[in-house]
Amino acid sequence: MNTHIRTTVLAIGQHRGAPRIYIEGRYLLTAGFAPGSRYEAVFAAECIELTLTDEGRAVSGKKQNTIGVIDLNGQSILDTFGQADRVTVACQTGRITLTLSRITALRRQRELNDQCVDLFAGGGLLSEAARQAGFRTVAAIEIDRRYADIHQANHGGHMINTSIEEAPWDQLRTLALIGLLAMGIPCEPYSAVRRLDRGGQAKRDQTLPPEAHELGDMVYWALKATDILNPHTVVIEEVPRFLASGAYFILTHALRRMGYHVDDRIINPLDHGALTGWQRAVVVGTTLEEVRWPEPCARPHHRRLGEILDDVPLDDDMWFDRETKPWLFAHWDKQTAKGNGFEPPKLTADSTRCPTIKKRYFAGQGDNPVVAHPRKTGVYRWLTIAEVRRLMNLPGDYDLGTAKTTAGEILGQGVEVHTFTRIIRAVTRRAA
């Protein structure tokens, strides 16, 4: 039985204009490749086998023959490995096998097909952006059953409704290779208001780094999924503060080690023709030679909020005032007196932009934007689900379920679809 003695990764160098693989070390003697012994080299597809024989090439030596040396040089290396720059050398007793290094092999396997996997998928707005860019989501992982139901209703595919550490990685392995891995890594650790835990109300000790949050390990699982699925392109969306975190640096360093070209931007949907300006950090890893971003487009001056507003009757019960919602107006008055900027924006049909719609918008939080009555001063209403859907450029036939709260959470946590469609098309070089 052959025993593994040494596995090492070597660079393919050059000697007199031809590829060269230079193997040296004491371990060659242990494997039987002592100076003066002979070996045969067999070149096959992406593999070279060296075996001891009575005839063939001779092993040379260094330092009084205490170190063995095998010097492979010539066109046969290029014919075997192509333009690869590294090989794995596996040394056993009487045999040495050279194959592509792991990362080189993974890079070669990647292909830009139309398959997408969505990690931390939510209700599927990132999957919808991918769909509009020409991809189909074949699998998604989402812990919340309500969001998982909505994602699957719109995108089909294999929904894995579980916490990330319970994901059936063996099943995911069967999906490789995929064209796109899309991820909305949970943002709680990096948001401006950092809580102690997921969904909690206690504020965390601000002397601790963001990664101290219980979701601070999500980057590890994102990288694990990347390694298993070996996608051609990775697109990750996060809050802008993520780019200053330790998790960001771990993520980007690891992606580069995996052989991806990596770049990041803070993207404002207003620069891509949207009516809402929720800035997002976007990290891209691609197997292509560089990351190409979509060019910002000139924002049409004629765009107004009126184009996405419902025709709500002026006497509808949706409208409220100081009499019908005294607690809300009291909150506004208090925040205005403090001067802390928490008074809500009052929108009209002529408004040219809408602030961020948050996850709990339809819970009636006091700092959220409201629509001002076109004729009555001091009368307002909340935006409707249909209006927020249009604001996020989500198609009208996208199934958000029957629960208003869930639909609002999905919209409030989702991406502006048109902007991310442009990003995905640009970084994957897919035509519009």
Side-chain angles (χ1 to χ4, degrees), residues 103 248-249 251-264:
I103 297 302
Y248 158 80
F249 288 102
L251 174 74
T252 53
H253 291 330
L255 286 174
R256 289 187 178 96
R257 287 185 186 276
M258 293 177 178
Y260 291 98
H261 297 284
V262 182
D263 197 10
D264 56 76

Short mmCIF file of all heavy atoms in Angstrom, two decimals, residues 103 248-249 251-264:
data_model
loop_
_atom_site.label_atom_id
_atom_site.label_comp_id
_atom_site.label_asym_id
_atom_site.label_seq_id
_atom_site.Cartn_x
_atom_site.Cartn_y
_atom_site.Cartn_z
N ILE A 103 -7.51 25.44 -6.27
CA ILE A 103 -8.15 26.69 -6.69
C ILE A 103 -8.11 26.83 -8.20
O ILE A 103 -9.08 27.27 -8.83
CB ILE A 103 -7.49 27.90 -6.01
CG1 ILE A 103 -7.68 27.82 -4.49
CG2 ILE A 103 -8.04 29.20 -6.55
CD1 ILE A 103 -9.14 27.77 -4.04
N TYR A 248 -16.13 42.04 6.76
CA TYR A 248 -15.92 42.42 5.36
C TYR A 248 -14.52 42.03 4.90
O TYR A 248 -14.34 41.48 3.81
CB TYR A 248 -16.12 43.93 5.19
CG TYR A 248 -15.43 44.51 3.98
CD1 TYR A 248 -15.99 44.39 2.71
CD2 TYR A 248 -14.20 45.16 4.11
CE1 TYR A 248 -15.34 44.90 1.60
CE2 TYR A 248 -13.55 45.68 3.00
CZ TYR A 248 -14.13 45.55 1.75
OH TYR A 248 -13.47 46.05 0.65
N PHE A 249 -13.52 42.31 5.72
CA PHE A 249 -12.15 42.00 5.32
C PHE A 249 -11.93 40.49 5.23
O PHE A 249 -11.25 39.99 4.32
CB PHE A 249 -11.15 42.65 6.27
CG PHE A 249 -11.09 44.14 6.10
CD1 PHE A 249 -11.73 44.99 6.98
CD2 PHE A 249 -10.39 44.70 5.04
CE1 PHE A 249 -11.69 46.36 6.82
CE2 PHE A 249 -10.34 46.08 4.86
CZ PHE A 249 -11.00 46.91 5.75
N LEU A 251 -14.24 38.30 4.50
CA LEU A 251 -14.96 37.89 3.30
C LEU A 251 -14.17 38.16 2.03
O LEU A 251 -13.97 37.26 1.20
CB LEU A 251 -16.30 38.64 3.24
CG LEU A 251 -17.13 38.44 1.97
CD1 LEU A 251 -17.76 37.06 1.99
CD2 LEU A 251 -18.19 39.52 1.83
N THR A 252 -13.67 39.37 1.89
CA THR A 252 -13.00 39.72 0.64
C THR A 252 -11.64 39.04 0.50
O THR A 252 -11.27 38.61 -0.60
CB THR A 252 -12.86 41.24 0.51
OG1 THR A 252 -12.23 41.78 1.69
CG2 THR A 252 -14.23 41.90 0.36
N HIS A 253 -10.90 38.91 1.61
CA HIS A 253 -9.63 38.18 1.53
C HIS A 253 -9.87 36.73 1.12
O HIS A 253 -9.14 36.18 0.28
CB HIS A 253 -8.91 38.22 2.88
CG HIS A 253 -8.40 39.58 3.27
ND1 HIS A 253 -8.01 40.52 2.36
CD2 HIS A 253 -8.21 40.14 4.50
CE1 HIS A 253 -7.60 41.62 2.99
NE2 HIS A 253 -7.72 41.40 4.29
N ALA A 254 -10.87 36.10 1.71
CA ALA A 254 -11.15 34.70 1.41
C ALA A 254 -11.61 34.53 -0.04
O ALA A 254 -11.20 33.58 -0.73
CB ALA A 254 -12.21 34.15 2.36
N LEU A 255 -12.46 35.43 -0.53
CA LEU A 255 -12.90 35.33 -1.92
C LEU A 255 -11.71 35.43 -2.88
O LEU A 255 -11.64 34.71 -3.89
CB LEU A 255 -13.92 36.42 -2.24
CG LEU A 255 -15.32 36.22 -1.65
CD1 LEU A 255 -16.18 37.44 -1.92
CD2 LEU A 255 -15.99 34.97 -2.20
N ARG A 256 -10.77 36.31 -2.56
CA ARG A 256 -9.59 36.41 -3.43
C ARG A 256 -8.76 35.12 -3.37
O ARG A 256 -8.23 34.69 -4.39
CB ARG A 256 -8.75 37.62 -3.02
CG ARG A 256 -9.42 38.95 -3.38
CD ARG A 256 -8.52 40.15 -3.14
NE ARG A 256 -9.21 41.38 -3.53
CZ ARG A 256 -9.87 42.18 -2.70
NH1 ARG A 256 -9.90 41.88 -1.38
NH2 ARG A 256 -10.47 43.26 -3.12
N ARG A 257 -8.64 34.53 -2.19
CA ARG A 257 -7.92 33.26 -2.09
C ARG A 257 -8.61 32.16 -2.90
O ARG A 257 -7.95 31.23 -3.38
CB ARG A 257 -7.82 32.81 -0.62
CG ARG A 257 -6.84 33.61 0.21
CD ARG A 257 -6.73 33.03 1.61
NE ARG A 257 -5.91 33.86 2.46
CZ ARG A 257 -4.58 33.81 2.52
NH1 ARG A 257 -3.93 32.95 1.75
NH2 ARG A 257 -3.91 34.61 3.32
N MET A 258 -9.93 32.27 -3.03
CA MET A 258 -10.68 31.30 -3.82
C MET A 258 -10.55 31.54 -5.32
O MET A 258 -11.11 30.79 -6.11
CB MET A 258 -12.16 31.34 -3.42
CG MET A 258 -12.45 30.86 -2.02
SD MET A 258 -14.22 31.07 -1.67
CE MET A 258 -14.30 30.37 0.00
N GLY A 259 -9.85 32.58 -5.68
CA GLY A 259 -9.61 32.83 -7.10
C GLY A 259 -10.59 33.78 -7.75
O GLY A 259 -10.70 33.81 -8.99
N TYR A 260 -11.28 34.60 -6.95
CA TYR A 260 -12.21 35.58 -7.51
C TYR A 260 -11.56 36.96 -7.60
O TYR A 260 -10.74 37.31 -6.75
CB TYR A 260 -13.47 35.69 -6.63
CG TYR A 260 -14.36 34.47 -6.67
CD1 TYR A 260 -14.30 33.51 -5.67
CD2 TYR A 260 -15.25 34.28 -7.72
CE1 TYR A 260 -15.11 32.39 -5.69
CE2 TYR A 260 -16.07 33.16 -7.77
CZ TYR A 260 -16.00 32.22 -6.75
OH TYR A 260 -16.79 31.11 -6.79
N HIS A 261 -11.95 37.70 -8.62
CA HIS A 261 -11.63 39.12 -8.65
C HIS A 261 -12.73 39.82 -7.87
O HIS A 261 -13.92 39.63 -8.14
CB HIS A 261 -11.59 39.62 -10.09
CG HIS A 261 -10.52 38.98 -10.92
ND1 HIS A 261 -9.19 39.32 -10.79
CD2 HIS A 261 -10.57 38.00 -11.85
CE1 HIS A 261 -8.47 38.59 -11.63
NE2 HIS A 261 -9.28 37.77 -12.27
N VAL A 262 -12.36 40.63 -6.88
CA VAL A 262 -13.31 41.18 -5.91
C VAL A 262 -13.30 42.69 -5.95
O VAL A 262 -12.24 43.32 -6.05
CB VAL A 262 -12.97 40.68 -4.48
CG1 VAL A 262 -14.00 41.21 -3.48
CG2 VAL A 262 -12.93 39.16 -4.43
N ASP A 263 -14.49 43.27 -5.89
CA ASP A 263 -14.61 44.71 -5.78
C ASP A 263 -15.90 45.02 -5.03
O ASP A 263 -16.77 44.15 -4.88
CB ASP A 263 -14.64 45.36 -7.17
CG ASP A 263 -14.35 46.86 -7.12
OD1 ASP A 263 -13.94 47.36 -6.04
OD2 ASP A 263 -14.53 47.53 -8.15
N ASP A 264 -16.01 46.25 -4.53
CA ASP A 264 -17.22 46.63 -3.80
C ASP A 264 -17.55 48.09 -4.06
O ASP A 264 -16.68 48.87 -4.41
CB ASP A 264 -17.07 46.37 -2.29
CG ASP A 264 -15.86 47.08 -1.71
OD1 ASP A 264 -15.94 48.31 -1.51
OD2 ASP A 264 -14.84 46.41 -1.44
#
